[in-house]
Amino acid sequence: MGSKTRSELEALENDLPATVDGAAIKRMRVIAHALDEGLRVPGTDVRVGLDPIVGILPGAGDAAAAVASLYLAAESARLGVSQSTLLRMLANIGIDTVIGSVPVLGVAFDAVWKANKRNLKLALTDLADEGGGAEHGPDTVTLE
């Protein structure tokens, strides 16, 4: 991740209550990084992940990336993020999947949109702001 984004995410992680599952956050960070910024384009500072690379495969690549992206939403639900945050995360995945499936344009869009990084930031912000966990209130959706 870019240094600005990395520092933003680290600051959010530092604001998380002790009750938030740190191992889950680490898994989410690894998945988001692999899908959105795992590889540096040689000779540049540009980073891309597996999402735009597998998106080259028509249909199947975007479907596989969407399934991997849904892991972040499922883990976020398990951690207790609010329903509104989950809906925003699902909207990001939907946008990424639909536009990402357009030939040629989709690969470029996937390389720039970085839905998983966005979703990780949404989840961390929600957990840090709300104090984390299932005590959010009626707006909370949890998966068991």
Side-chain angles (χ1 to χ4, degrees), residues 10-95:
E10 287 171 354
L12 287 170
E13 285 183 40
N14 291 336
D15 289 343
L16 294 176
T19 56
V20 173
D21 182 355
I25 298 299
K26 183 176 181 178
R27 289 189 301 269
M28 292 169 64
R29 192 174 356 104
V30 167
I31 294 295
H33 180 75
L35 289 172
D36 287 345
E37 297 185 326
L39 306 166
R40 186 177 58 80
V41 176
T44 72
D45 288 333
V46 176
R47 299 191 68 82
V48 297
L50 296 174
D51 189 358
I53 293 169
V54 299
I56 293 170
L57 301 170
D62 293 302
V67 168
S69 295
L70 286 171
Y71 166 78
L72 291 174
E75 192 72 79
S76 296
R78 189 184 70 75
L79 292 172
V81 301
S82 68
Q83 184 177 16
S84 60
T85 296
L86 285 175
L87 290 173
R88 289 175 64 193
M89 292 172 75
L90 292 173
N92 284 338
I93 295 167
I95 291 166

